[in-house]
Amino acid sequence: MSEIHAHKVLNLLREKPMTEQELRQAVCAEFGEQAQFRTCKLSGFDFEKLFAFFIDRQKITQQGECWTINQEQVCGH
């Protein structure tokens, strides 16, 4: 199984801010429960690790209960 680029997950948040649970459900519906993800430089992420990576790298920010993309921290390719 090929890994899905993390930008596809960020694009879900670009379309609509979501809670962590809503995002998890959207990712499962879009890519399947066993989906594996990669970034531009790293690979081997499941949803939990990818979500933590996004927070650690400030790719997403929390606004109330919802998470949204932090465009300034996302590479533009």
Side-chain angles (χ1 to χ4, degrees), residues 2-16 18 23 26-28 30-31 35-40 47 50 54 60 69 74-75 77:
S2 64
E3 293 180 316
I4 299 153
H5 199 287
H7 284 178
K8 292 189 176 192
V9 177
L10 290 174
N11 286 341
L12 294 173
L13 286 176
R14 183 173 286 139
E15 293 172 14
K16 173 189 165 197
M18 296 180 229
L23 181 60
V27 166
C28 285
E30 182 81 17
F31 308 113
Q36 292 290 301
F37 303 93
R38 65 179 175 83
T39 67
C40 298
F47 176 82
L50 185 64
F54 286 160
I60 60 176
I69 190 170
V74 176
C75 57
H77 63 90

